Structure formats: C-alpha cells, structure tokens
C-alpha cells in the first residue's frame, strides 16, 4: 500500500508553482516599467510637489503673468489651506510626456508650499498685455504652471445633477483644457461697503479678496465641513458658492489671498484680516 511522506507533493502543486513564478515575473516587469502603485505615487509626488518660484512683487500689485498661490486663512472648522490640484495616480499619463488628464478636480490642501500643485498663473482674457496691472472687477483666468500640470484652466459650471461638487452638491470647480467664458473670474474687495470705491483700482498683492466666477457670480469657496482624503492626506472640498452672514457680507469661506514672494526673499507674504484693517 502506498505511503505518503512529508516530501511527497500532492494536489495541483505544479500549477501553483507556475502561478507563483508568473506572479513574480509580472511584478518584476511592472517594476521595470514603473507601473507599481508605490512607484506611481512617488512619480506623481515628485512632479506635483517640486518647488516652484512665485513672482516677486516690486510694486505691491498683482499683474498678468504673475505666478501666485491662492490661500484661504482658515476658520473655526478648518486650517489654513491653498487651492490645489486633486490629482491621483489615475489622473495622469506618461505618453507622450507626463501630464495631468483633463478634467481634473481641485481641493483646498493644507500644504502651504509653492509647487506645480498649488501655483497658478494670472492669465489675460481681454487682451491685456503680460506684466500689466490687474484691476478689481477685471476678468482674468487662472492657468496651471508649465511642466507636469500645464495648460489647464480653473473652470466652474452651472450647478446641475450631472455636474456638481461630490459632497456638498454645490457648483463644481475643476481644471479643464483651454480657456472659455466658464474659466473667467474677477476679484472684488472683501468689504461690501468699500467695494464700489475699489472698482477699477489696481489689485494689491497678498491682500484678502473675493474671487468671483464671471458667468454665475458665485464666489470661490472652501468647505471645511466636507473633508476629502486623497494621496496628499486630509483636504477640503472646493466649490463656487457665496456664503453670506447675517450682515449680507461674505464669510471667511470665500476670502482668498493671492500670494507671491517677498522681495526680501523671506518666502510667502500672508496678511491677516487684522493687518488689513478688516472687521
């Protein structure tokens, strides 16, 4: 009668061995092509988080062509955050050159550092020359910087069942190829009582302002109550929606600072509402 010992192979041992060898070979091939999940994340962060030089202000004003960051100073339910590209490993391709796939979402990220993910170019839509001063209530576009995330424009659309922010269901904000009227924005003064006085005046750099979508007249907003977990950690949902308090003034969800570099080389310039004399 046959005797089985520990050295005797039973079952589909040959198939299991071949399957294990195939799995190892497939893993090595993906590693050589840089297609492993960890490699994709490293590749994404390497390009999206590399340093970017913001424009240095010399006259204290914003200009067309300036590279800036859009920073919200935070509030009771959220930290200070910056408008950021919400790109994950499924939002980019390497062929023919590495780049973000359009459309791509945006969030308010807590990483306040100048990089391709957070830097945007103030772009003319009315024929204004690059280097000319941006004025209150003048239309402009925000374009991603050159490099990995290039040529995408911050865009918003009318609220609809198909196109709205995933969590709040408010008006969607994302990045699209090419400039259109849906990518036009304007800056207004944060204080409603002084808004008419500042209309047509040059926009100071590093000052708290409202960024209004030209087509829908809704203000760019960060939602601290709607948290998004992604490759970069805990961040906040972005939308185009005006939040008013009991005095019919926009809340801090809608207040943004277009930041550039300090001429003294000390990094970002961030002015608080108190420093600006805000209520």
């Amino acid at each position: 009668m046959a005797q089985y010992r520990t050295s005797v192979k039973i079952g589909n041992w040959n198939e299991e061995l071949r399957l294990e060898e195939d799995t190892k070979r497939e893993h090595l091939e993906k590693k050589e092509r840089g297609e492993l999940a960890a490699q994709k994340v490293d590749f994404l962060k390497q390009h999206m988080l590399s340093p970017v030089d913001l424009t240095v202000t010399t006259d204290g004003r914003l200009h067309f062509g300036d590279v800036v960051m859009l920073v919200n100073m935070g509030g009771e339910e959220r930290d200070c955050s910056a408008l950021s590209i919400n790109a994950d490993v499924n939002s980019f391709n390497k062929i023919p050159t590495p780049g973000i796939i359009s459309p791509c979402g945006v969030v308010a990220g807590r990483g306040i550092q100048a990089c391709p993910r957070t830097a945007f170019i103030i772009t003319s839509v009315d024929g204004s020359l690059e280097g000319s001063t941006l004025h209150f209530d003048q239309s402009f576009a925000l374009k991603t910087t050159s490099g990995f995330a290039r040529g995408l424009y911050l865009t918003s659309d009318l609220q609809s069942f198909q196109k709205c922010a995933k969590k709040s269901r408010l008006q969607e904000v994302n990045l699209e190829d090419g400039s259109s009227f849906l990518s036009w924005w304007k800056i207004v003064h944060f204080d409603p009582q002084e808004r008419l006085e500042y209309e047509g005046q040059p926009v100071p750099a590093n000052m708290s302002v409202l960024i209004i979508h030209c087509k829908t007249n809704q203000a760019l907003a960060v939602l601290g109550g709607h948290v998004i977990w992604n490759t970069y950690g805990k961040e906040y949902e972005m939308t185009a929606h005006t939040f008013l308090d009991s005095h019919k003034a926009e809340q801090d969800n809608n207040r943004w600072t277009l930041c550039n570099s300090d001429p003294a080389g000390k990094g970002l310039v961030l002015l608080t509402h108190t420093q600006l004399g805000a209520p």
Side-chain angles (χ1 to χ4, degrees):
M1 186 174 181
Q3 296 291 326
Y4 288 93
R5 301 179 178 84
T6 56
S7 59
V8 176
K9 297 179 179 179
I10 60 176
N12 298 326
W13 63 270
N14 187 50
E15 290 80 356
E16 292 176 357
L17 180 61
R18 294 294 179 87
L19 180 60
E20 183 178 353
E21 292 176 349
D22 291 342
T23 302
K24 290 181 179 179
R25 183 170 59 254
E26 182 179 359
H27 176 83
L28 293 175
E29 290 175 352
K30 285 186 175 181
K31 184 177 180 180
E32 291 179 358
R33 296 193 300 265
E35 296 178 353
L36 296 179
Q39 290 177 310
K40 290 182 178 180
V41 171
D42 290 342
F43 179 83
L44 179 68
K45 289 185 175 181
Q46 176 185 355
H47 287 79
M48 295 298 290
L49 302 180
S50 59
V52 166
D53 293 328
L54 300 182
T55 300
V56 176
T57 177
T58 56
D59 59 3
R61 299 175 178 179
L62 293 177
H63 307 84
F64 290 104
D66 283 0
V67 179
V68 298
M69 285 178 57
L70 278 67
V71 177
N72 181 278
M73 298 301 294
E76 294 182 358
E77 59 180 4
R78 68 189 186 282
D79 299 325
C80 181
S81 57
L83 175 67
S84 306
I85 301 174
N86 188 24
D88 57 20
V89 294
N90 299 316
S91 303
F92 73 95
N93 55 26
K94 295 183 179 181
I95 301 174
T97 58
I100 297 295
I101 299 174
S102 173
C104 182
V106 293
V107 291
R110 297 188 297 169
I112 311 299
Q113 58 180 5
C115 59
R117 186 171 185 247
T118 60
F120 294 86
I121 303 171
I122 300 176
T123 305
S124 171
V125 297
D126 60 3
S128 298
L129 297 177
E130 184 169 332
S132 60
T133 303
L134 175 67
H135 296 82
F136 283 101
D137 283 276
Q138 183 178 10
S139 299
F140 68 97
L142 288 168
K143 184 174 66 173
T144 54
T145 56
S146 60
F148 189 56
R150 60 187 176 278
L152 300 181
Y153 291 82
L154 186 68
T155 304
S156 187
D157 201 352
L158 293 172
Q159 182 181 351
S160 66
F161 180 77
Q162 292 82 10
K163 300 190 70 174
C164 57
K166 292 182 179 179
K167 293 199 171 186
S168 65
R169 314 307 294 176
L170 297 174
Q171 186 174 317
E172 182 184 45
V173 178
N174 57 20
L175 296 169
E176 296 274 1
D177 281 322
S179 177
S180 68
F181 186 52
L182 293 177
S183 64
W184 290 23
W185 303 82
K186 64 180 180 180
I187 292 176
V188 300
H189 197 271
F190 66 87
D191 188 348
Q193 296 182 353
E194 300 185 23
R195 200 159 291 167
L196 288 177
E197 297 179 9
Y198 276 87
E199 186 174 343
Q201 297 298 314
V203 180
N206 308 300
M207 175 182 177
S208 181
V209 295
L210 304 180
I211 302 175
I212 307 297
H213 188 237
C214 291
K215 182 175 177 61
T216 61
N217 204 37
Q218 295 294 321
L220 189 67
V222 52
L223 305 180
H226 296 280
V227 174
I228 295 176
W229 289 94
N230 55 24
T231 305
Y232 311 93
K234 175 185 175 182
E235 301 186 322
Y236 308 120
E237 186 170 73
M238 291 285 305
T239 184
H241 185 81
T242 305
F243 293 89
L244 301 176
D245 59 20
S246 59
H247 300 287
K248 302 298 182 181
E250 290 80 6
Q251 300 182 22
D252 55 13
N253 305 66
N254 295 127
R255 295 186 178 185
W256 295 89
T257 302
L258 280 73
C259 303
N260 51 22
S261 292
D262 186 350
K266 298 180 180 179
L268 292 179
V269 179
L270 290 175
L271 300 181
T272 64
H273 300 316
T274 303
Q275 291 173 311
L276 292 169

